[in-house]
Amino acid sequence: MSARHFLSFMDFTPDELVAVIRRGIELKGLRNRAVLHEPLKNRVLGMIFEKSSTRTRLSFEAGMIQLGGQAIFLSTRDTQLGRGEPIEDAAIVMSSMLDAVMIRTFAHSTLTRFAAHSNVPVINGLSDDLHPCQLLADMQTFLELRGAIQGKTVAWVGDGNNMCNSYVEAAIQFGFQLRVACPEGYEPDPRFLAKAGDRVTLTRDPREAVRGAHLVSTDVWTSMGQEEEAEQRLARFAPFQVTRELLDLAAPDVVFMHCLPAHRGEEISHDLLEDPRSAAWQQAENRLHAQKALLEFLVTPAYRAE
Ligand code: CP
Ligand code: NVA
C-alpha cells in the first residue's frame, strides 16, 4: 500500500513536520482574510470514533468542509465494526470509497492494522499510545508565539499518557529538551523513551521540571478508558497540579498549554486557563489550521510535489 499515513510524529521527517506547521499558519491567515481555498473539492474523509471527542471531530469536519470536501462521522456503535467486522476488511472497503480516514481508538494496533490494508492515508486522531494531531497544533502555537522550539526546554507535568508520549516524539523530531514530572508508575511508555535517549529526563518533582522551562504542558489525570482508576489517580497525582505559582518558576516568557478538555481543580488550578501565560484557546483553535495543512499534505499529492 503506497499511501502515506500519520499515525505518529515519526511517520514524517522533521522537515515535513515543519512544512505542515508553517502551512497551518498560512491556512489560518487565508481563513482570517476570508479567502476561499478549496483544494479538496469532492474529497471525502471518513472519521471513525471509538472514543468521545469535541475538538478532534469538529476540527476535522470543519476543516474538510473549508477545504471544499466533506467528512463523514462513523461511530463504532453504528457501524459493523462494533459488531465484530475485522478491521482489515473494513480498511479495504472504506479506503475504496474514501480519500482519507481518521481514527480515534483505544488500541494503537487498530490504527496500524487499518493502515496496513488501506489504500488511502490514515490519520491518528488519538490512541491509547499517541496523539500526534494535537502535537501539530501545539508546535504551531509555540512557533506563532515564540518562534522555533529547537533547543528550548519543555516541561510535562502529570500523567505519562498518550499526550506525553507524543511530546517525547516531538522532542526527538523538533530537537527540544523534555523534562517529565510524574508519579512513580505513571511514566511515559519506555518504547518511546528508548528512542529519545537524553532528549528526555524524568523527575518526581514538578518544580524541578518546570524551573526555567519555555513551555509547560499537562493533561487530565484520567484518560478515556481509565475511568475505573479515577479515584486512585486523584490521590497519586495531587502533588502534580499546575498552578500559577508553579509557572512562576518557569522562564519569564513561558507558554502554558493544555490539550483540553481540562479538569479545573485537578491537573490545573481553577485560574490557570485565564492566566496570561496560558495559550490553551489558541492551541485548541490551531487544531483546525494544523490539520487542514495535514489533510492538504496527505490528500493532494500535487501540493506535496511543490
Ligand atoms: N484535545 C482533544 O483531542 O480534544 P477532544 O477529545 O475534544 O477531541
Ligand atoms: N489523554 C487524554 C487526551 C484527550 C484529548 C485521553 O486520552 O483521554
Side-chain angles (χ1 to χ4, degrees):
M1 308 281 168
S2 60
R4 290 286 300 272
H5 304 298
F6 186 63
L7 309 188
S8 131
F9 252 37
M10 309 317 277
D11 289 336
F12 283 22
T13 66
D15 284 350
E16 286 173 335
L17 291 169
V18 170
V20 167
I21 287 162
R22 288 192 192 283
R23 183 65 179 156
I25 295 173
E26 283 173 13
L27 293 177
K28 187 174 183 174
L30 290 183
R31 179 163 157 73
N32 288 343
R33 296 196 303 279
V35 177
L36 212 59
H37 174 67
E38 298 187 325
L40 299 193
K41 219 168 173 52
N42 295 321
R43 304 299 188 111
V44 183
L45 171 74
M47 305 187 298
I48 301 171
F49 281 90
E50 283 180 6
K51 294 173 172 171
S52 304
S53 168
T54 299
R55 280 145 288 269
T56 303
R57 177 179 176 180
L58 261 180
S59 51
F60 272 110
E61 201 162 323
M64 277 305 289
I65 294 168
Q66 290 166 17
L67 291 169
Q70 294 274 344
I72 299 175
F73 174 80
L74 300 156
S75 147
T76 37
R77 278 187 299 281
D78 310 317
T79 58
Q80 299 290 4
L81 281 171
R83 298 180 59 250
E85 181 168 16
I87 195 81
E88 292 79 5
D89 295 357
I92 294 166
V93 174
M94 287 184 184
S95 71
S96 72
M97 300 181 189
L98 298 166
D99 297 286
V101 179
M102 188 240 76
I103 306 178
R104 170 166 283 200
T105 184
F106 291 91
H108 192 78
S109 58
T110 303
L111 279 157
T112 51
R113 287 165 60 201
F114 193 104
H117 292 81
S118 172
N119 282 314
V120 299
V122 179
I123 298 168
N124 181 358
L126 180 140
S127 68
D128 286 348
D129 289 3
L130 292 165
H131 197 4
C133 289
Q134 182 67 54
L135 261 289
L136 285 180
D138 291 20
M139 293 297 102
Q140 177 177 330
T141 307
F142 193 88
L143 184 62
E144 287 172 341
L145 292 171
R146 299 285 183 268
I149 199 163
Q150 188 177 11
K152 304 275 187 193
T153 299
V154 177
W156 177 269
V157 180
D159 192 15
N161 61 11
N162 42 13
M163 273 298 298
C164 182
N165 291 334
S166 277
Y167 262 97
V168 172
E169 291 200 334
I172 300 168
Q173 297 289 63
F174 282 84
F176 59 79
Q177 200 60 35
L178 178 65
R179 298 182 195 144
V180 177
C182 62
E184 208 177 331
Y186 295 92
E187 294 81 8
D189 191 318
R191 288 172 302 161
F192 301 110
L193 285 179
K195 283 187 245 164
D198 55 13
R199 280 251 163 269
V200 181
T201 54
L202 297 183
T203 170
R204 304 290 167 218
D205 180 1
R207 298 166 63 88
E208 187 187 322
V210 164
R211 197 160 285 124
H214 305 99
L215 166 60
V216 174
S217 188
T218 189
D219 185 16
V220 292
W221 291 339
T222 301
S223 286
M224 289 181 277
Q226 300 171 332
E227 287 77 6
E228 283 179 6
E229 301 170 24
E231 207 173 315
Q232 174 192 338
R233 284 171 169 268
L234 270 181
R236 290 288 274 135
F237 284 97
F240 291 83
Q241 185 182 80
V242 183
T243 62
R244 285 182 161 163
E245 294 68 34
L246 187 69
L247 281 192
D248 289 344
L249 298 174
D253 64 345
V254 67
V255 178
F256 172 73
M257 294 195 196
H258 190 311
C259 66
L260 306 178
H263 291 73
R264 290 175 175 83
E266 294 184 18
E267 75 275 3
I268 53 166
S269 55
H270 284 276
D271 51 8
L272 202 65
L273 295 184
E274 287 68 45
D275 188 282
R277 293 167 291 187
S278 169
W281 309 127
Q282 182 174 338
Q283 181 192 359
E285 180 191 325
N286 281 342
R287 292 292 302 277
L288 173 69
H289 311 298
Q291 288 162 200
K292 282 169 73 177
L294 176 69
L295 288 164
E296 199 182 51
F297 180 87
L298 287 172
V299 181
T300 52
Y303 164 70
R304 208 157 76 212
E306 276 169 13

